[in-house]
Amino acid sequence: MKKIAILGSTGSIGTQTLDVVRANGDLEVLGITAGSNIQKLEEQIREFHPKLVAVMKEEAAKELRDKVADLDVRIVTGMEGLLEVAAMPETEILVTAVVGMIGIRPTIEAIKAGKDIALANKETLVTAGHIIMPLAKEMGVQILPVDSEHSAIFQALNGEHHKEIHKLLITASGGPFRGRKTEDLKKVTLADTLKHPNWVMGQKITVDSATLVNKGLEVMEAKWLFGMDLDQIQVVVQPQSVIHSMIEFVDGGIMAQLGTPDMRLPIQYALYYPHRRYLAGDRLDFAALKQITFEEPDMDTFLGLPMAIQASRIGGTMPTVFNAANERAVAKFLRQEIGFLDIYALIQASMEAHKVKENPDLDLILETEQETYEFVESQVSGL
Ligand code: NDP
Ligand code: MG
């Protein structure tokens, strides 16, 4: 039995990870965490029997303890609880499927405890890649990508030599507003934004896909995961989401990974790497698909991508500002407090106002996050 823990077990990636566990029979889930979804946690505890469960708030923990009083499980709370699940002594792999920068500290804690990381939480590498990657190397742990694009690159790298990579080609669906212009985006609603053409995901990443912030975060994530220069990473729009990403090698040869849009494949690949397991589900049917098309990303309309690249080029604390401003702006957009284009305006204003500090440590990253949240609040009243 391979022993794992999952941060964010009630979310889109978390529940699909449990689907993979259910389908295989040789994975044991020792720890799970959620923000506040007590009902789903109770179901998961009854089905998977973890020893340790973390929720964010004490009231939620109390309620959950009452619900599962008949079971042998310990319920812990807050960041301390998350850290405890991340570093549980018996686990081999931690699946980081929480959303947002909250994932940074538990990921670092797990690496220090020698766990391999199945990494879905991209915000962690975006803001703290310069801490996480060297630490993982020092501790001899693997960072196994779950994000489909990075998993595709990871799969395409099998048997190849890293130094022979010429560039990475990260594919993008273009999101629900592909083809629209800024003028059209003024009036788009939350419901329009949450209709992703190909993938069913959590709300935050679905909004990020529409703004192309998600693709920007993925470029930054790829830079850290694969040790690339930004100039070696190209985004290619491929609206059918069939090619999950590609590597162009120095001789011009291109390796790609294709498949139906199903996150269980990259999740399962990370959990069993370097092996593959049978996975039930739809297979690509080329006759039905007929064509795969390509476009350039529209960087003049979808500012999430160029702003992310700019933040990454500047480096230091700027990627944290980009990410934190986006997190706060998206939360406000989801509560329908601001419009779609205000997300770009808030990120841009936050980046312009920020004085960059080089090579931030964890405390400075978290301080920058707080300052950015406060800056976004101060700006919203003026929108
Ligand atoms: P979801 O919103 O579906 O799930 C997020 C999970 O994190 C839930 O378990 C949630 O608990 C928990 N959570 C939310 N806020 C907090 C908090 N403040 N403290 C502790 N736990 C919290 O997100 P996704 O599964 O879509 O995404 C997770 C990560 O994976 C993101 O970083 C995303 O970018 C990345 N990713 C997702 C993909 C996808 O297909 N969904 C694809 C590639 C990457 P609760 O249910 O109680 O709110
Ligand atoms: Mg992705």
Side-chain angles (χ1 to χ4, degrees), residues 38-56:
I38 301 304
Q39 197 182 336
K40 192 156 249 165
L41 270 181
E42 183 188 355
E43 287 167 22
Q44 293 180 344
I45 294 169
R46 294 199 179 277
E47 181 176 358
F48 296 97
H49 304 288
K51 294 180 178 170
L52 190 62
V53 175
V55 291
M56 288 321 278

Side-chain angles (χ1 to χ4, degrees), residues 189-366:
T189 64
L190 177 60
D192 299 332
T193 310
L194 291 178
K195 272 185 225 139
H196 194 278
N198 305 321
W199 296 92
V200 179
M201 308 178 284
Q203 290 199 327
K204 192 246 171 189
I205 186 176
T206 306
V207 176
D208 288 350
S209 297
T211 55
L212 253 62
V213 162
N214 182 52
K215 214 42 60 180
L217 295 174
E218 290 180 354
V219 168
M220 297 198 228
E221 189 186 2
K223 170 185 140 168
W224 290 115
L225 267 175
F226 303 108
M228 290 288 131
D229 289 338
L230 283 173
D231 298 331
Q232 287 177 288
I233 307 174
Q234 185 185 339
V235 173
V236 180
V237 175
Q238 194 275 282
Q240 300 80 14
S241 296
V242 165
I243 302 177
H244 297 310
S245 278
M246 306 179 258
I247 304 174
E248 182 185 314
F249 290 96
V250 285
D251 59 359
I254 293 177
M255 298 291 283
Q257 187 256 335
L258 285 71
T260 53
D262 182 347
M263 285 308 296
R264 292 173 310 154
L265 191 157
I267 293 168
Q268 180 168 284
Y269 191 79
L271 291 176
Y272 287 106
Y273 175 79
H275 294 285
R276 288 182 185 271
R277 287 287 179 95
Y278 176 77
L279 181 63
D282 293 343
R283 301 293 154 123
L284 257 192
D285 176 349
F286 286 97
L289 179 65
K290 290 196 176 64
Q291 58 172 1
I292 306 176
T293 59
F294 303 94
E295 294 168 18
E296 260 189 83
D298 177 355
M299 302 258 216
D300 297 327
T301 306
F302 299 98
L303 300 178
L305 181 56
M307 287 196 298
I309 294 170
Q310 189 197 357
S312 191
R313 233 181 258 294
I314 295 168
T317 43
M318 197 55 104
T320 298
V321 173
F322 172 83
N323 182 69
N326 179 61
E327 278 190 30
R328 202 33 74 93
V330 170
K332 288 183 178 297
F333 177 72
L334 287 171
R335 292 197 298 267
Q336 305 195 49
E337 292 167 12
I338 63 171
F340 185 85
L341 291 175
D342 295 331
I343 299 174
Y344 296 145
L346 288 169
I347 298 173
Q348 194 172 0
S350 303
M351 284 174 60
E352 277 169 10
H354 181 66
K355 294 213 170 31
V356 183
K357 294 172 201 90
E358 296 304 327
N359 202 21
D361 61 11
L362 181 57
D363 287 342
L364 183 54
I365 290 171
L366 298 177

